[in-house]
Amino acid sequence: MSDATPDLSHLAAVQPLRYRLGEQVADLILTAIRLHEFMPGERLPTEMELCTQLGVNRMAVREGLRWLEDHKYIRMKMGRNGGAFVLDPELDVVMDRLSGRAADLRQLFEYRTAVEPLVAALAAERISDSELSRLRLLHEEELHEPRVKRDRFRAIDVALHQIIAKASRNAYLVDAVQDIRVKLAPGLDLLKSTSDRRRQSVECHGQLIDCLDARDAPGASAVMRVHIDATARAVSAALAAQGVEEVPADPS
């Protein structure tokens, strides 16, 4: 956990005329939680810090935090060392969030398969040396498995994919990759951090970085597709283990 106070200002997009400010606050904080910018057990910024970062009043912040607590994303703790702390969801909470979403997850992975291989191909053509260096550093950290804890492993994975998305130099694709990750988070919460899955993920990341470094667009696209397919199969298997069968596409 970093000593620096996390900043949500890069997510701030509060639009008072769209819907309630409290709902927008909850959405913005939930996005940060699902992107693993805040990890389980970590304390969120104070109410005043959230007011400043998001440009809203304290009532809106409290309403947003109340929603997040009611939906078991955070736990409010009183006292000198209190605040809002991110919860590590229990299995029953994860399954409740995934209830009725098997078809949506299938479509989400289809969408991801359409988007992220293209992102990887463009990144191979446009990535900078500094971005490659950052990818290498993150990959070096995840190679230290199993010392890297599950939540940090997830955070590294998010960071890798976001750097690659930004390297595409296409703002629409950057937004799409983030939106996919946010919506996919409940499915990923279901996955157990097995050594086989970690090894497969780390190997794909290494191969992907090598393709980016070689400016191999077709290779980067192919590796990204393999990586996405492996995750989709893992989520499908995890759902099946809980008695949720994959929903086939409607042929009509």
Side-chain angles (χ1 to χ4, degrees):
M1 187 185 304
S2 173
D3 292 332
T5 300
D7 189 349
L8 286 174
S9 59
H10 67 295
L11 294 172
V14 173
Q15 301 174 33
L17 297 180
R18 277 184 59 201
Y19 56 105
R20 292 174 62 91
L21 288 177
E23 293 174 352
Q24 294 183 65
V25 169
D27 281 349
L28 292 168
I29 297 174
L30 181 56
T31 293
I33 290 173
R34 287 183 165 176
L35 292 175
H36 268 60
E37 294 178 15
F38 297 109
M39 306 231 255
E42 188 170 357
R43 183 168 58 184
L44 297 180
T46 66
E47 287 185 4
M48 286 306 300
E49 288 170 334
L50 289 172
C51 288
T52 301
Q53 292 176 17
L54 301 178
V56 296
N57 57 45
R58 180 169 284 187
M59 183 180 297
V61 167
R62 286 179 176 174
E63 184 181 335
L65 292 176
R66 191 179 307 116
W67 185 94
L68 291 167
E69 184 176 34
D70 289 344
H71 289 80
K72 301 181 181 179
Y73 288 103
I74 64 170
R75 175 174 61 89
M76 299 300 297
K77 189 176 177 182
M78 306 303 290
R80 182 179 177 184
N81 297 317
F85 293 82
V86 179
L87 289 173
D88 190 4
E90 300 290 338
L91 178 59
D92 61 334
V93 174
V94 174
M95 291 307 300
D96 185 58
R97 291 171 184 167
L98 291 171
S99 177
R101 287 201 56 207
D104 180 61
L105 283 174
R106 176 184 55 75
Q107 292 179 37
L108 185 58
F109 273 112
E110 289 175 350
Y111 178 45
R112 190 184 187 196
T113 301
V115 170
E116 289 205 57
L118 171 61
V119 167
L122 291 176
E125 299 170 354
R126 302 169 180 177
I127 196 166
S128 68
D129 289 341
S130 63
E131 287 167 328
L132 279 169
S133 295
R134 287 161 60 200
L135 289 174
R136 293 284 186 197
L137 285 173
L138 287 168
H139 182 54
E140 181 66 26
E141 183 179 351
E142 70 177 354
L143 282 171
H144 292 158
E145 189 271 333
R147 285 179 292 168
V148 178
K149 293 183 178 180
R150 176 177 181 266
D151 294 310
R152 178 55 188 163
F153 197 82
R154 285 271 299 275
I156 292 171
D157 183 55
V158 171
L160 282 164
H161 284 267
Q162 288 186 318
I163 291 171
I164 294 169
K166 289 176 182 177
S168 74
R169 306 291 181 257
N170 187 305
Y172 293 101
L173 292 175
V174 172
D175 289 345
V177 169
Q178 176 170 297
D179 185 54
I180 289 168
R181 175 62 64 156
V182 170
K183 288 183 170 65
L184 188 60
L188 298 180
D189 286 341
L190 190 59
L191 298 182
K192 294 180 179 178
S193 185
T194 65
S195 59
D196 285 345
R197 170 155 174 74
R198 279 198 174 199
R199 182 167 56 252
Q200 184 180 50
S201 181
V202 170
E203 286 176 357
C204 275
H205 286 162
Q207 293 167 8
L208 185 54
I209 294 168
D210 287 343
C211 288
L212 295 173
D213 193 15
R215 303 303 193 268
D216 178 3
S221 179
V223 172
M224 182 66 83
R225 184 179 293 273
V226 169
H227 185 40
I228 293 169
D229 287 346
T231 303
R233 288 196 301 272
V235 170
S236 180
L239 284 171
Q242 297 301 319
V244 180
E245 296 300 326
E246 185 176 356
V247 177
D250 185 350
S252 63

